[in-house]
């Protein structure tokens, strides 16, 4: 933000020491970037300098000389002189000359218009030309220069239309039509789309809302009557339009950072006053305002005890109240009792909570006045259970050779339809695309990770094994149910199915899962038939593990098999013991036996393990899988041999051979009865 020293002096008495002022502004949040003198910039008058200040994105109020002057008046406790524009209006009602329809309130919450009749367009006054030149703005004519002057004065963008060029004397705020185009005042043509907001007349667009006016309605030497626009345009809408069109302007820069909703009408009066003074004419009576009601902001409670706790120093309540009221806050309750209530001014949208007010007091009082050894009480904090769990998850997955990825939460329709193991209901959609072509909130992380793997392969032939921890957005089970936001961990890798399952088992073990991991075959589009399983911990559903179908992978041009898995983190945490628990170590020796069973091919390891554990009980210390062997000629078709080891141990006495044999016999009997498994001799 370029500010003129001479221009600032119209609103506040400036100190003699300019360099000290620049330092104080830097310490209060307006960083001093540099200063130009008349010798360096010929556009400056001999008694002026141009100061370049860095304005952070939350301080749109300082994108005008009045906002900077207000900061100086508070820092130096001097009077701020804000102009009070007055208008002498004609008897002609503005509504008899012009009508306004706002069809796009999401992009334009408020639109105001005034009409000035009988202007004589010509050069602007010398003082105005000098002021604009001092901050690098070229002069055009007395009407356009007045709008630019008020823009740089208060930060409210304005626009002047030639009244004669407005079809049917009607202004319509609406979305642009598909393929609609406009020639802007930079005399370049831009193609618009329905996500953009335009200011139009009854026939065509006259301006790109909040960005730039159109050439067809610009003020020229032949203009006799003008329409003055002063409005609020939504920051997101302006930012998206400016970026898409690659068309940035001082107006878009300010709308992206929000403008003062109350200052909209003040800026309209101010520019009309300046135009009448320099170009003549009369202002029609009244103003067209699509949203004249300004919502009252709730008060913010400020406690002196909190201010002292956070800053570590005591600031007198009178000084606290002076600072906040000078910044524009309205005091609803005196702070002398230990706490007070303040309403933030309309131009400070960033003041919403107590900490914001404390920061305002601190920066104006001076950070340099806070001693380095000021005692600030701190309280010990601990990690959330979720943070501890995700740290362990990252540790296991990175140890397994996977790299963490971050992918967008919104995806294209094509990506959304590729895989969706959690639900078949349609994904939630945003009204406007957050990324180009992406409007779906993802129901799974898997397609995004596969796409990331494909991008790595396409760019450097890297077979990237990836994982991501992020939110899923699952639609409700019915139209009446609310959607669910689920934290999940997903992974995509090469190799084989069982290696990926081993990683998941290691993950469950690292998190201290108390239940056994079990699998159940399911079908879902995009996966190899029979090679997708639902994972469970006990009776709780955990997630999915499967092999992606080659047909699905074809759209990404990925070679080789791709294994994917996705787990619910809440389900992991529900069964986890993140803090290792003390376990009694038996002082008695253990007995280990190997058992070789012949059983049906359909019996899974987790079923066999559960039967063994339930047959022995507490005296079973471990059951370990050894190997699987198949011999159809000896054992029959669809039969297999599974070799396992059991470790038996008592916490109270030494197990005898007979005791161990009895426990083994109970295992053999249970396997025979429940799984039709025969023990090989």
């Amino acid at each position: 933000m370029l500010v003129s020293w001479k221009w600032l002096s119209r609103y506040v008495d400036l100190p003699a020491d300019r360099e000290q002022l620049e330092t104080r502004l830097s310490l209060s949040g307006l960083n001093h970037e540099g200063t130009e003198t008349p010798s360096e910039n010929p556009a400056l008058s001999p008694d002026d300098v141009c100061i370049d200040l860095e304005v952070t994105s939350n301080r749109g109020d300082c994108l005008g000389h009045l906002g900077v002057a207000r900061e100086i008046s508070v820092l130096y406790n001097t009077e701020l002189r804000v102009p009070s524009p007055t208008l002498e209006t004609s008897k002609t009602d503005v509504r008899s000359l012009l009508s306004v329809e706002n069809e796009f309130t999401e992009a334009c919450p408020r639109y105001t218009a005034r009409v000035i009749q009988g202007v004589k367009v010509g050069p602007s006054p010398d003082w105005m030309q000098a002021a604009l030149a001092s901050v690098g703005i070229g002069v055009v004519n007395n009407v356009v220069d007045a709008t630019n002057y008020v823009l740089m004065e208060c930060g409210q963008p304005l626009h002047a239309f030639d009244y004669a060029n407005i079809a049917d004397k009607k202004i319509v705020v609406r979305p642009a039509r598909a393929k609609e185009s406009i020639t802007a005042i930079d005399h370049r043509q831009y193609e618009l789309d329905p996500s953009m907001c335009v200011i139009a007349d009854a026939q065509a667009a006259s301006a790109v809302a909040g960005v730039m006016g159109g050439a067809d309605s610009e003020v020229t030497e032949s203009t006799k009557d003008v329409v003055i626009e002063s409005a609020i345009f939504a920051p997101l809408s302006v930012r998206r339009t400016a970026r898409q069109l690659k068309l940035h302007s001082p107006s878009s820069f300010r709308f992206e950072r929000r403008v003062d909703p109350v200052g909209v009408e003040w800026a309209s009066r101010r520019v009309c006053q300046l135009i009448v003074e320099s170009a003549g004419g009369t202002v029609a009576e009244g103003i067209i305002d699509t949203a004249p009601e300004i919502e009252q902001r709730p008060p913010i409670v400020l406690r002196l005890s909190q201010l002292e706790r956070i800053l570590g120093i005591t600031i007198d309540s009178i000084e606290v109240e002076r600072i906040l009221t000078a910044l524009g806050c309205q005091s609803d309750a005196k702070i002398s009792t230990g706490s007070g209530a303040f309403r933030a001014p309309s131009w400070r949208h960033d003041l919403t909570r107590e900490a914001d007010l404390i920061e305002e007091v601190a920066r104006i009082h001076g950070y340099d006045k806070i001693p380095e050894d000021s005692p600030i009480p701190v309280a010990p904090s601990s990690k959330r259970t979720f943070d501890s769990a995700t740290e362990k998850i990252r540790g296991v997955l990175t140890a397994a050779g996977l790299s963490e990825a971050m992918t967008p939460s919104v995806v294209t329709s094509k990506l959304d339809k590729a895989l969706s193991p959690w639900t078949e209901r349609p994904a939630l959609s945003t009204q406007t695309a957050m990324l180009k072509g992406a409007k779906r909130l993802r129901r799974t992380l898997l397609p995004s990770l596969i796409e990331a793997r494909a991008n790595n392969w396409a760019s450097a032939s890297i077979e990237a094994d990836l994982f991501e921890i992020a939110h899923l957005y699952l639609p409700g089970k019915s139209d009446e149910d609310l959607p669910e936001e689920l934290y999940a961990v997903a992974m995509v890798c090469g190799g084989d199915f069982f290696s990926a399952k081993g990683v998941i088992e290691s993950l469950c073990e690292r998190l201290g899962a108390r239940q056994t991991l079990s699998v159940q075959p399911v079908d879902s589009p995009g996966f190899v038939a029979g090679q997708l399983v639902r994972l469970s911990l006990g009776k709780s559903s955990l997630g999915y593990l499967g092999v992606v179908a080659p047909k699905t992978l074809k759209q990404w041009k990925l070679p080789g098999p791709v294994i994917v898995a996705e787990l619910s983190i809440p389900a992991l945490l529900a069964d986890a013991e993140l803090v290792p628990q003390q376990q009694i170590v038996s002082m008695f020796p253990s007995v280990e036996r190997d058992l070789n069973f012949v059983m049906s091919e359909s019996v899974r390891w987790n079923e066999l393990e559960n039967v063994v554990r339930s047959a022995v009980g507490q005296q079973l210390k471990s059951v370990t899988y050894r190997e699987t062997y198949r011999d159809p000629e000896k054992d029959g078709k669809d039969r297999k041999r599974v070799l396992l080891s059991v470790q038996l141990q008592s916490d109270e006495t030494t197990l005898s051979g007979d005791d161990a044999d009895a426990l083994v016999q109970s295992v053999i009997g249970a396997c025979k009865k429940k799984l039709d498994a025969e023990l090989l001799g």
Side-chain angles (χ1 to χ4, degrees), residues 384-396:
R384 296 179 302 163
T385 301
F386 176 84
D387 295 326
S388 299
T390 53
E391 187 177 279
K392 291 177 183 289
I393 292 171
R394 286 187 175 94
V396 171

Side-chain angles (χ1 to χ4, degrees), residues 51-106:
I51 303 172
D52 187 4
L53 298 174
E54 180 188 14
V55 179
T56 53
S57 59
N58 67 313
R59 293 302 307 274
D61 62 297
C62 287
L63 293 174
H65 282 72
L66 271 172
V68 178
R70 182 180 292 107
E71 293 287 300
I72 296 171
S73 72
V74 180
L75 288 170
Y76 286 87
N77 197 14
T78 57
E79 180 187 359
L80 177 68
R81 299 184 291 271
V82 179
S84 299
T86 57
L87 297 176
E88 292 185 7
T89 60
S90 65
K91 294 182 179 180
T92 305
D93 189 345
V94 66
R95 285 179 170 77
S96 68
L97 302 172
L98 185 73
S99 64
V100 175
E101 290 183 9
N102 189 352
E103 300 176 356
F104 203 178
T105 54
E106 297 87 352

Side-chain angles (χ1 to χ4, degrees), residues 138 197 503:
C197 180
V503 172

